[in-house]
Amino acid sequence: MTSSTIVKVDQVSKSYRLGQVSVPALKNVAVDIHGGEFTALIGASGSGKSTLLNMIGCIDNPDTGKVWIQGVDVGTLNDNAKSDLRNQKIGFIFQSFNLVPVLSVFENVELPLLINHQISKAERRQRVEEALKDVGLETLANNRPDQLSGGQRQRAAIARALAGHPVLVLADEPTANLDSDNSNRIIDLMLQLNKKKNVTFLFSTHDEKLMGRVNRIIHIKDGVITP
Ligand code: ADP
Ligand code: MG
């Protein structure tokens, strides 16, 4: 593990139980993610992309194998320590944006920061304003999500992921609910944030067209990383 290794996944397997049968979702997966990378995890629907992102994001536990985040073996942490690690080190972007409808854009971006009591109110405001500026939504801070287009909603979700100053942003099919113009804009924005702010991204997609845009591709098929 080098100093810039943010994520190390080693021999991770995960199955889901469906009635009497066990459905394997990941089989002995090994992946490293380094600081500054912009990686696409590409695979068909059902190939295990979300399962792998959930393991890396400490949302779910592997059956066997280990996940390290910045050298910390996640399997050794209790639930509280895992939530803190998730909150402080990882930003999440989802296919369906997952914004809270009754909150303004500003409040949505601020929400994950409220959990971290080390961040003062003034710093929260400054971080939210900066994140909204980074995604070009500063003039829409007081709007509610239903007053935004799909592309703008995803930009708000990106701002929410960035405001925590994460070491890694995980984006699970962030463009799947967008038309191709908006998809391209979202990818461009993530690429720009990667270049300008050195944000490390790992995003999943089933869209092979996005392959040419990234500096690293990981293919996954039937729960196995393929060359
Ligand atoms: P992807 O994100 O690439 O579409 P997933 O990681 O969601 O793939 O799913 C991988 C496999 O695990 C699929 O066969 C899927 O049906 C199965 N699976 C995922 N989540 C569950 C679950 N909660 N219960 C049962 N099976 C699941
Ligand atoms: Mg998925």
Side-chain angles (χ1 to χ4, degrees):
M1 195 179 303
T2 68
S3 61
S4 79
T5 306
I6 290 177
V7 176
K8 187 170 180 65
V9 172
D10 193 29
Q11 297 297 311
V12 160
S13 295
K14 176 76 179 180
S15 296
Y16 294 102
R17 197 147 266 296
L18 263 185
Q20 298 286 49
V21 288
S22 166
V23 183
L26 295 176
K27 302 168 194 163
N28 292 320
V29 166
V31 169
D32 282 6
I33 302 291
H34 303 99
E37 281 181 336
F38 190 95
T39 308
L41 176 63
I42 299 187
S45 174
S47 57
K49 302 183 296 296
S50 295
T51 305
L52 179 56
L53 293 182
N54 289 346
M55 301 292 136
I56 294 173
C58 310
I59 289 172
D60 202 355
N61 303 315
D63 296 334
T64 57
K66 285 188 179 187
V67 176
W68 288 266
I69 306 289
Q70 287 192 317
V72 174
D73 176 353
V74 174
T76 65
L77 303 178
N78 64 25
D79 285 350
N80 275 341
K82 224 185 289 177
S83 314
D84 285 348
L85 180 140
R86 198 163 50 221
N87 182 251
Q88 287 162 27
K89 295 201 184 284
I90 300 171
F92 294 93
I93 300 167
F94 305 93
Q95 174 176 339
S96 49
F97 321 132
N98 291 15
L99 299 169
V100 181
V102 295
L103 298 181
S104 69
V105 167
F106 185 99
E107 290 164 335
N108 266 285
V109 175
E110 186 183 35
L111 198 56
L113 302 181
L114 294 169
I115 299 168
N116 187 342
H117 298 297
Q118 281 153 15
I119 304 176
S120 68
K121 190 171 179 204
E123 188 180 351
R124 276 207 310 271
R125 165 162 289 277
Q126 192 241 318
R127 283 196 189 199
V128 173
E129 283 170 357
E130 186 186 347
L132 287 176
K133 213 162 148 227
D134 285 339
V135 302
L137 283 187
E138 61 273 39
T139 60
L140 298 176
N142 296 320
N143 286 46
R144 281 203 324 268
D146 66 1
Q147 298 170 308
L148 304 182
S149 71
Q152 288 170 335
R153 284 180 210 185
Q154 197 57 304
R155 284 198 270 151
I158 293 173
R160 179 181 57 189
L162 295 176
H165 295 174
V167 296
L168 172 69
V169 175
L170 298 173
D172 195 1
E173 304 219 34
T175 61
N177 281 349
L178 299 174
D179 60 40
S180 62
D181 273 359
N182 275 307
S183 292
N184 283 328
R185 281 195 207 110
I186 289 297
I187 297 294
D188 286 342
L189 174 61
M190 295 198 304
L191 279 164
Q192 185 197 332
L193 291 162
N194 170 255
K195 277 220 185 71
K196 263 187 22 197
K197 301 218 142 184
N198 204 33
V199 181
T200 307
F201 281 95
L202 172 59
F203 80 97
S204 72
T205 181
H206 60 258
D207 186 354
E208 303 269 340
K209 288 198 299 294
L210 297 176
M211 277 176 52
R213 317 273 313 265
V214 299
N215 62 36
R216 184 177 173 206
I217 293 167
I218 298 171
H219 288 280
I220 185 165
K221 188 172 181 233
D222 299 331
V224 177
I225 303 287
T226 59

PDB file of all heavy atoms in Angstrom, residues 49-50 172-173, ligand 2:
ATOM      1  N   LYS A  49     -21.711  -3.675  -9.533  1.00  0.00           N
ATOM      2  CA  LYS A  49     -21.156  -2.323  -9.351  1.00  0.00           C
ATOM      3  C   LYS A  49     -21.609  -1.698  -8.026  1.00  0.00           C
ATOM      4  O   LYS A  49     -20.791  -1.218  -7.239  1.00  0.00           O
ATOM      5  CB  LYS A  49     -21.575  -1.409 -10.518  1.00  0.00           C
ATOM      6  CG  LYS A  49     -21.161  -1.893 -11.892  1.00  0.00           C
ATOM      7  CD  LYS A  49     -21.546  -0.908 -12.985  1.00  0.00           C
ATOM      8  CE  LYS A  49     -23.044  -0.708 -13.158  1.00  0.00           C
ATOM      9  NZ  LYS A  49     -23.776  -1.926 -13.589  1.00  0.00           N
ATOM     10  N   SER A  50     -22.922  -1.686  -7.803  1.00  0.00           N
ATOM     11  CA  SER A  50     -23.425  -1.051  -6.577  1.00  0.00           C
ATOM     12  C   SER A  50     -22.922  -1.792  -5.343  1.00  0.00           C
ATOM     13  O   SER A  50     -22.575  -1.162  -4.335  1.00  0.00           O
ATOM     14  CB  SER A  50     -24.957  -1.038  -6.566  1.00  0.00           C
ATOM     15  OG  SER A  50     -25.450  -0.227  -7.602  1.00  0.00           O
ATOM     16  N   ASP A 172     -22.600   6.370  -7.924  1.00  0.00           N
ATOM     17  CA  ASP A 172     -23.203   5.139  -8.451  1.00  0.00           C
ATOM     18  C   ASP A 172     -24.160   5.477  -9.596  1.00  0.00           C
ATOM     19  O   ASP A 172     -25.257   5.956  -9.364  1.00  0.00           O
ATOM     20  CB  ASP A 172     -23.930   4.395  -7.327  1.00  0.00           C
ATOM     21  CG  ASP A 172     -24.249   2.956  -7.722  1.00  0.00           C
ATOM     22  OD1 ASP A 172     -23.885   2.547  -8.845  1.00  0.00           O
ATOM     23  OD2 ASP A 172     -24.868   2.247  -6.906  1.00  0.00           O
ATOM     24  N   GLU A 173     -23.722   5.242 -10.801  1.00  0.00           N
ATOM     25  CA  GLU A 173     -24.463   5.558 -12.031  1.00  0.00           C
ATOM     26  C   GLU A 173     -25.052   6.975 -11.987  1.00  0.00           C
ATOM     27  O   GLU A 173     -26.251   7.176 -12.139  1.00  0.00           O
ATOM     28  CB  GLU A 173     -25.571   4.517 -12.257  1.00  0.00           C
ATOM     29  CG  GLU A 173     -25.004   3.101 -12.304  1.00  0.00           C
ATOM     30  CD  GLU A 173     -25.668   2.215 -13.333  1.00  0.00           C
ATOM     31  OE1 GLU A 173     -26.054   2.741 -14.398  1.00  0.00           O
ATOM     32  OE2 GLU A 173     -25.781   1.008 -13.077  1.00  0.00           O
TER      33      GLU A 173
HETATM   34 MG    MG B   2     -26.278  -0.602  -9.429  1.00  0.00          MG
END
